[in-house]
Amino acid sequence: FFFKKKTLINLGMAYCLDAEHDSALQQFKKAQEFDSDGNFVKQCIDYTEILMKAFQLKAEGDCHFAKGEIEKAKECYTEAFAVDPTLLQSKINRAACHLAMENAVFCIEDCDAVLGCLSYERNRKKLHHDMDNADGASILAAVLSPKPRTRRTWIVTLLCRRAAAKKFLRDSSGALDDLLDAESIIRSSDDIDKHMLAKDIAVLKEELRIA
C-alpha cells in the first residue's frame, strides 16, 4: 500500500508542476485511500485547492492586464498572493502593475520582497523524508519552487523592473546597479533579450557620464 500511495502522490505532484490541479487532486484523493493513519495526503489536497484558487485569481489578473485594466489586474494579483504567499508570480506581476501606474515606490517594495524570497533556495532534500511524518503542504511547495533557469529569469525581470522604477524616481545610479546585476546573472541559454539590456545599460552610463 505504501508504494501505491507514494506513486499516486508523486503523480499528483507532477500534475501540480504542470499546473494541472484538477488531475493532481484526483491522484491525491486516490492516495488518500491508503493514508488512513496520516495527514500527509490531506495536507497535499488542502494545499492544491489553495493553489487552484490562487492560480485562478492570477489568471484573471493576467487577462485584465492584457486588456489594459491595470487596477483590476493589481487587485487580482493582490488577492492571489493573499490566498497563497508562495505564488511569487502574483507579486512579480503586481510590481508590473505598480510600474504601469507610476507607483514606483510600491513597485520597488514588491520587487525587493520577491528578490528576498528568491535569494533562499528551498531544501529539496525534504522529499526524501518519511512522508507519513512530513508536512505535505511544505513538501509540495518545495516541489513547486522555481527551477534554476526560471529563478534566474524571475530575478532578471525583477531587477529590470526595479531599475525602471528607480529611474522613474531619478535614481539613475541605482537603476544602473540593478541592470548590471541582471546582466551578470544571465546565461547564454536563457531566453532573455540581452541586447536590449545592454542597450539600456549603455544609455544609463551615458546619462550618468553627462551628469
Side-chain angles (χ1 to χ4, degrees):
F1 284 158
F2 176 79
F3 178 77
K4 179 67 173 177
K5 182 182 77 170
K6 187 174 181 180
T7 300
L8 290 167
I9 289 172
N10 287 340
L11 280 170
M13 290 184 174
Y15 278 122
C16 277
L17 278 170
D18 290 331
E20 297 181 26
H21 301 118
D22 287 330
S23 297
L25 276 178
Q26 291 178 12
Q27 301 303 318
F28 288 141
K29 287 178 179 178
K30 288 179 183 178
Q32 198 170 32
E33 298 174 11
F34 307 99
D35 194 46
S36 57
D37 298 328
N39 292 319
F40 183 89
V41 179
K42 184 180 183 303
Q43 292 165 346
C44 288
I45 290 172
D46 291 344
Y47 185 60
T48 302
E49 290 175 342
I50 288 172
L51 278 175
M52 291 176 73
K53 184 176 180 181
F55 267 82
Q56 178 59 38
L57 287 164
K58 178 190 170 293
E60 291 173 10
D62 293 344
C63 287
H64 286 306
F65 193 89
K67 294 177 182 177
E69 299 168 349
I70 308 302
E71 182 63 40
K72 290 181 179 179
K74 187 190 76 172
E75 291 172 2
C76 287
Y77 295 139
T78 298
E79 192 172 350
F81 189 76
V83 170
D84 180 15
T86 70
L87 187 61
L88 298 181
Q89 301 98 305
S90 59
K91 207 161 195 176
I92 292 172
N93 290 0
R94 190 176 71 176
C97 292
H98 286 314
L99 188 60
M101 298 169 71
E102 299 185 353
N103 292 329
V105 172
F106 292 136
C107 175
I108 291 171
E109 287 179 357
D110 274 354
C111 290
D112 286 346
V114 181
L115 286 168
C117 291
L118 292 172
S119 67
Y120 297 97
E121 289 287 349
R122 295 185 185 277
N123 185 1
R124 295 178 185 272
K125 292 182 181 179
K126 291 180 181 179
L127 296 175
H128 301 294
H129 287 182
D130 180 357
M131 287 186 176
D132 289 322
N133 298 320
D135 181 340
S138 296
I139 287 183
L140 186 51
V143 170
L144 298 175
S145 62
K147 290 186 170 53
R149 184 174 180 177
T150 299
R151 181 175 173 274
R152 282 197 307 276
T153 299
W154 288 2
I155 291 174
V156 170
T157 297
L158 288 161
L159 287 170
C160 291
R161 199 159 285 166
R162 190 171 69 179
K166 287 180 178 179
K167 189 173 180 182
F168 183 82
L169 295 174
R170 298 186 179 182
D171 179 12
S172 295
S173 179
L176 178 59
D177 288 341
D178 278 346
L179 293 184
L180 289 172
D181 285 344
E183 186 180 48
S184 69
I185 293 170
I186 298 174
R187 295 184 182 178
S188 58
S189 59
D190 292 338
D191 185 19
I192 298 172
D193 192 340
K194 307 171 190 64
H195 298 297
M196 181 60 71
L197 179 57
K199 182 178 178 181
D200 290 341
I201 289 173
V203 169
L204 277 174
K205 283 183 175 179
E206 182 62 17
E207 287 179 1
L208 289 169
R209 186 187 68 79
I210 294 173

